[in-house]
Amino acid sequence: MLAITELRTLLSAQWSTGMIPHIVFSENSTDYFPGFDRWGTGSAKARPSGIESSGICQPPVHSIALRHILDRGRENGGADREAAESFLDESFDGWLAWHRWLATVRDPDATGLIEIHHGRESGFDNSPRWDGPYARVQPGTVPAFTRRDTLRVADSSERPDDSEYTKYLWLVQQMASVGYDDGDVRSVVGFRVRDVFFSAIMAASSDVLANEWISTDTVSGFAPLVSGGEESLLAAQRTAGKPEPVLDSRGLPRMDRAGLVGAHRLRK
């Protein structure tokens, strides 16, 4: 199965710390910037020998992908099932080490929120969400560079400008300057953000990895109404799946526990 090959390739590049890099460079790869040399991971002690990769990660969607592979394999049966279950057995320890790395190294204060050290780790590379954190990054000397991304768009204004790109590269230099050592990176990198979206994916993916979902009906079902948001979306949430009211002897709606929670449960 091609999907298994993709995940196996990523896992083969896993660092000894448990981190899974967001880019694994193919042999003689020269068409991507920044390339392996620019990432400066050549001297990183945790990087597996002979495999060229970046030094940062991205949200841990791997376990979710693994779950889909396993489900499809079992549905298809035969060789597909055997391949999927065999891959689960061989790779589980790697995924577990990856999640443990995130839960400890990237949450050093045990807040429950995962810390990212580069906007690209979020999965939303150039999102305006990072304008604030990047505004506080003061780059030092960055060697000259030739970008590739602007060659692939008709309107370069749709891409970050060179000053922004300089900050992206400066963060890479900062991490490379300490060999991507987990403890040292936190003291030198100019971008440290506890990302809610990354943390949410971590939580969902960890549930999948543990094969256990927290789905008990509780007052947390009202969270979207408390935290706010787009009014039209909130209005839809208030009425999603809402049953016809059951009236009591006074002609007023009667709300039991199931009605209270179920009427406001989020639905896809």
Side-chain angles (χ1 to χ4, degrees):
M1 299 170 69
L2 181 59
I4 290 178
T5 300
E6 292 287 337
L7 285 184
R8 184 178 281 121
T9 299
L10 288 175
L11 199 57
S12 70
Q14 184 174 34
W15 289 25
S16 61
T17 56
M19 192 273 284
I20 295 180
H22 86 308
I23 296 176
V24 181
F25 292 99
S26 58
E27 190 173 343
N28 300 319
S29 175
T30 59
D31 60 351
Y32 182 84
F33 181 83
F36 173 66
D37 290 341
R38 195 76 186 222
W39 279 101
T41 56
S43 60
K45 294 180 180 179
R47 182 183 59 85
S49 177
I51 296 181
E52 299 182 347
S53 72
S54 65
I56 63 173
C57 63
Q58 281 194 330
V61 298
H62 313 78
S63 296
I64 298 173
L66 179 62
R67 174 80 257 183
H68 283 291
I69 290 172
L70 190 61
D71 288 344
R72 300 295 83 74
R74 287 172 173 169
E75 287 175 2
N76 295 341
D80 284 350
R81 175 169 185 159
E82 182 179 350
E85 293 184 343
S86 177
F87 179 64
L88 172 63
D89 289 341
E90 76 176 64
S91 64
F92 183 83
D93 288 347
W95 307 125
L96 184 59
W98 163 224
H99 280 241
R100 282 177 171 164
W101 180 83
L102 288 170
T104 54
V105 172
R106 289 305 186 88
D107 185 13
D109 300 321
T111 64
L113 290 173
I114 305 300
E115 182 178 289
I116 62 174
H117 295 156
H118 199 290
R120 292 185 177 181
E121 289 198 317
S122 69
F124 293 89
D125 293 8
N126 307 315
S127 171
R129 295 172 63 206
W130 314 127
D131 287 352
Y134 274 127
R136 295 185 284 275
V137 174
Q138 300 298 320
T141 301
V142 175
F145 56 90
T146 300
R147 295 169 58 179
R148 301 289 181 86
D149 58 313
T150 52
L151 302 177
R152 293 178 169 84
V153 294
D155 183 0
S156 60
S157 68
E158 295 179 358
R159 298 293 299 160
D161 61 30
D162 284 353
S163 65
E164 293 172 302
Y165 222 84
T166 296
K167 293 183 178 183
Y168 303 162
L169 294 173
W170 174 245
L171 295 177
V172 170
Q173 285 182 214
Q174 288 182 308
M175 291 183 277
S177 71
V178 293
Y180 289 91
D181 177 87
D182 288 332
D184 293 338
V185 162
R186 288 196 297 271
S187 65
V188 301
V189 73
F191 187 106
R192 293 181 61 184
V193 177
R194 290 170 178 168
D195 182 23
V196 173
F197 179 80
F198 194 115
S199 302
I201 292 181
M202 170 68 171
S205 192
S206 295
D207 279 348
V208 171
L209 189 64
N211 197 29
E212 180 177 352
W213 290 87
I214 300 175
S215 56
T216 306
D217 289 340
T218 70
V219 72
S220 62
F222 288 104
L225 303 180
V226 175
S227 58
E230 170 60 37
E231 185 56 38
S232 62
L233 176 59
L234 291 176
Q237 291 171 345
R238 293 187 184 103
T239 58
K242 188 173 183 179
E244 290 296 322
V246 177
L247 304 182
D248 61 18
S249 59
R250 298 168 297 170
L252 299 174
R254 187 181 72 223
M255 291 294 284
D256 56 17
R257 178 176 178 277
L260 182 65
V261 178
H264 296 282
R265 181 176 296 164
L266 287 176
R267 301 184 186 279
K268 293 182 179 179

